[in-house]
Amino acid sequence: MATKWSNSLIPTARQAPADAEVPSHQLMLRAGMIRKLGAGVYTYLPLGLRAIQKAMQIIRQEMDQAGAIEILMPTFQPIELWEKTGRREAYGQNLFVVKDRHGREQALGPTHEEIVTELAGAYIESYRDLPKTLYQIQTKFRDEFRPRFGVLRSREFQMKDAYSFHLELDGPGGLSETYDKQYAAYCRIFERCGIPYEIVEAEAGPIGGNASHEFMVPSPTGEDFILKSDKGNYAANVEKCEIGPRPRNLEAESKGDLAVIDTPGCLTIEDVCKFFKKNLGTKLKTQNMLKTLVCKAGDTWVIGVVRGDHELNEAKLRKAAGESDLVMADEAEARDAGFAIGFVGPHVAVGRTDVKLFVDPDAAQGGFWVTGANAADQHVKLFNWQRDVIDQGTLPEVADIRNALDGDPSPKEDGGILQMTKGIEIGHVFKLCSKYTQALNVQVVNENNERINPLMGCYGIGVNRIIASAIERDGGNDEHGIIWPVNIAPYQVLITPIKYEGEFVELADKLATALEAQGIDVLIDDRQERPGVKFKDADLIGIPWRITLGDKALAQESVELKARNGSNGPKGELVKIDAVVAQLVAAIQ
RNA sequence: CGGGGCGUAGCGCAGCUUGGUAGCGCGCCACACUGGGGGUGUGGAGGCCGCAGGUUCAAAUCCUGUCGCCCCGACCA
């Protein structure tokens, strides 16, 4: 049976709440798809639910096609598992932890690596059981520090997550094979959903290579930064993006003597620049300063130096230093170890055997650097690498350790230039290898009866984000409302009788029944509203095809057919009643 | 976590400075007119002014606390 508008719950609104900033959020609220219950928590009303279910159905079909098997794991998870893998710490505040009546802590799952690995440990015992790919679609919880943009960053959301288990990385049945299958399935899913996407390299983790990819919808409202070479042969997210070779010159001569300047309370680069302008009358640019960041790996201090206007990339520094456990140093601890946090300069490394010094090429230059004086409330100017560090017996290592920026050279070394855009992450595929099977001591026996940790892959899709991205995408909305891709639209056809009475009732029902017999879902606007109201609402909720029933067309035994995306003209077209079903079937399938 | 702001009807907002019986637009209900792009009129309903204390004859308004929400920043999927 076709849905009658009056029987559904579609609370459209003329105005969006003031706190809805981005188009998808505003339109989902105005179209009556969702209702906010609290920060980052939404009820899905009928239209929202239908859209999400359409996306889920496509995902299911493609997962099944790719050989994955659906299961459903608990949201409510023993905290011990999270402690064993170290992710309680790693997730930190983003992990929801609840106590039961006995005071035991449980996590509300933000993802399910621990749970699925435990499951595999219980039932997958032999290489004969491999490979195996399990997936689920369910609710995840993340205590986002700052939920925003409606459904794009919420605290409770729908995710498809798949996990695969393998004996080997390569070859038949290997992790790479399944990874490629999932990758291909993702492409089909997003194509069927009708959303434009780009695939970028993401931070790969322990085994390197192309071990992780993110699927991004290009959009100014995205929160992830993507860099693409203008040669079209490289794309990566900002955490991952390497930068091509850049000139360096550590040996440049100084332009004057090192001078200490009192800079009371100037803890940041910005502070120092303001101080120079205000108190010294000198215009100091951030790019003429050196930012010296103190990190720690085990007992070793690792200092990363980047230009004042650049950002340190921790993952790059970690790789350059060869220290997998490198993190930003605790401030108090660093102070105790002799680092004047806020006033650190690269020459702090001089004479210290417990410090490794790394410098980004853009910072490894001559010039008149202003940087910390390694004493509280003091900076120095005219810092010079050769004189103040190298001649003092410390050799800094030059390495790419900063985040890439628009205009940087491509790592492909083909003259390409990186360009920065923003995107919404809708999918992520990742080779986990044995991280979790080791942590949770899951083993299988191989052909030689040896016990080994199976390799894992994980593959996630943000279902809500598919819906929001479909609206955010180019052509996904206009000044009147949403424009759905046909495959994830809440309904494919909206029948709008100008008057819902008499022969129009019968005609609407007849067309709806005929369309539904062809597998097309239909919403009938049976409300006793003025035509203008119905048309405005139709545009707002964005159903791809609208059949308008009115006297004018009926006099010619016709109806009006209009595509929401304008593909059959701004006013649509007149179609004979007998022909409209066939025409829609052809257009939709 | 730092800075800023906001909580008054379903939504958008005014009222607060200078305390004196709570207002506007949209939406909602009834009736009439109207009837192909949010129409018009008349009449209505709807608020513990986030919550708790305090000051006062009197608090939406002033004070204190608290909770919630939002924005910017730092942090992070």
Side-chain angles (χ1 to χ4, degrees), chain A residues 179-191 195-202 212-218 224 226 237 423-430 459-462 465 469:
Chain A
Y179 185 90
D180 293 344
K181 268 191 205 168
Q182 286 284 323
Y183 185 108
Y186 275 36
C187 294
R188 284 192 298 274
I189 287 166
F190 299 132
E191 268 153 32
I195 49 181
Y197 65 97
E198 287 173 359
I199 301 169
V200 306
E201 291 180 23
S212 178
H213 291 90
E214 289 175 342
F215 290 74
M216 302 283 207
V217 179
D224 293 88
I226 308 166
N237 69 15
I424 300 165
E425 183 188 347
I426 50 171
H428 196 164
V429 292
F430 202 97
Y459 320 93
I461 292 181
R465 284 185 176 182
S469 307

Side-chain angles (χ1 to χ4, degrees), chain A residues 492-496 507-516 518 520 522 545-549 553-554 556-563 568 572-589:
Chain A
Q492 293 163 314
V493 175
L494 171 65
I495 298 180
T496 304
L507 181 54
D509 287 350
K510 194 183 99 184
L511 287 174
T513 304
L515 285 165
E516 295 204 315
Q518 300 293 319
I520 292 172
V522 181
W545 294 96
R546 186 179 89 201
I547 300 174
T548 307
L549 309 182
L554 192 64
Q556 301 174 55
E557 292 174 351
S558 298
V559 296
E560 288 159 71
L561 183 63
K562 184 167 182 245
N568 70 345
E573 55 190 316
L574 215 54
V575 178
K576 292 288 181 197
I577 291 170
D578 295 340
V580 71
V581 173
Q583 187 167 335
L584 277 170
V585 169
I588 289 169
Q589 288 155 0

Side-chain angles (χ1 to χ4, degrees), chain A residues 77-86 114-115 118 440:
Chain A
Q77 309 173 353
I79 199 73
E80 289 77 12
L81 281 173
W82 286 81
E83 283 166 349
K84 277 185 191 166
T85 59
E114 281 79 3
I115 315 307
E118 190 278 340
L440 297 175

